[in-house]
Amino acid sequence: MPRSETGDLPNRHTLKMGELIRKAREEAGLTQEELAKKTYRKKLAVHQMETGKVEINAWTIVYLSEALKKPITYFYPEWDTEYDPKEDDLSDLEKELILNFRFFETDGLKRLFIKFTKLFSKYNPGLDFADMLYEKTTDNLDYAASSFIESYYKSAVENNTAEDK
């Protein structure tokens, strides 16, 4: 399975974009081959776009927009754009998170951090635990973070072990 910057393909995003491209192509009365010529691509590339097997770059979106007489935003699923926070919408904690994220030196570390963040968002020992830990250890946030990760890791291992049985 092909991989992209954001993971395996096809994924939710590429599948929905492909669906939108196919719909617009059919509305325009074009074959995949005709659309390929209008977008300076091969027929196989159009097929791969429509089936979500490739990520579509910005220039391709421009060509698709022109060929299919659709605005560029048409090709982005609503849920991709409905939560596109502006800086004014971010809390101070969110801004701090983004600022610290930028200090990671490698893409590998950034991807790992994103994975941890997604895992933490699923972790719910009771939101009270994280808040309680923070409140009790505000003078030693390193200890609070270590304790939280240790507790999370223990819970994750227990859950994975239980699922393996």
Side-chain angles (χ1 to χ4, degrees):
M1 179 175 291
R3 289 197 48 86
S4 73
E5 281 186 16
T6 56
D8 293 330
L9 295 176
N11 59 40
R12 178 178 160 211
H13 172 78
T14 60
L15 287 170
K16 186 61 179 175
M17 281 186 93
E19 188 181 305
L20 292 168
I21 292 166
R22 181 188 46 75
K23 181 180 173 195
R25 177 182 58 78
E26 289 173 350
E27 285 175 4
L30 298 173
T31 65
Q32 286 184 343
E33 190 169 350
E34 291 168 329
L35 181 58
K37 286 180 184 173
K38 288 179 174 269
T39 58
Y40 311 99
R41 303 290 182 272
K42 294 182 180 183
K43 180 182 175 199
L44 176 62
V46 172
H47 172 74
Q48 289 175 327
M49 284 186 268
E50 289 186 0
T51 56
K53 293 181 180 170
V54 294
E55 283 187 337
I56 302 166
N57 68 36
W59 279 113
T60 301
I61 295 287
V62 171
Y63 292 136
L64 288 167
S65 176
E66 180 66 26
L68 298 170
K69 308 290 187 242
K70 297 282 186 188
I72 289 172
T73 56
Y74 168 87
F75 300 100
Y76 291 94
E78 284 182 24
W79 40 260
D80 267 0
T81 57
E82 70 187 16
Y83 186 70
D84 185 13
K86 307 297 179 248
E87 187 173 350
D88 292 345
D89 297 335
L90 298 174
S91 71
D92 289 342
L93 289 173
E94 290 168 322
K95 289 176 186 175
E96 184 177 355
L97 183 67
I98 292 167
L99 178 65
N100 283 286
F101 179 81
R102 290 179 179 162
F103 287 114
F104 290 125
E105 293 183 14
T106 66
D107 286 344
L109 280 173
K110 290 177 181 178
R111 285 189 187 98
L112 188 60
F113 180 77
I114 290 168
K115 184 67 174 177
F116 282 142
T117 303
K118 288 177 179 178
L119 287 171
F120 281 150
S121 71
K122 293 177 187 175
Y123 175 71
N124 187 3
L127 298 176
D128 299 337
F129 174 74
D131 289 338
M132 179 268 310
L133 189 59
Y134 176 78
E135 293 297 322
K136 287 188 174 191
T137 58
T138 53
D139 344 342
N140 190 347
L141 290 179
D142 288 338
Y143 172 76
S146 298
S147 296
F148 183 78
I149 289 173
E150 184 178 313
S151 173
Y152 172 79
Y153 179 75
K154 180 181 177 196
S155 174
V157 168
E158 288 171 358
N159 286 339
N160 285 333
T161 302
E163 288 174 8
D164 290 342
K165 291 181 179 180

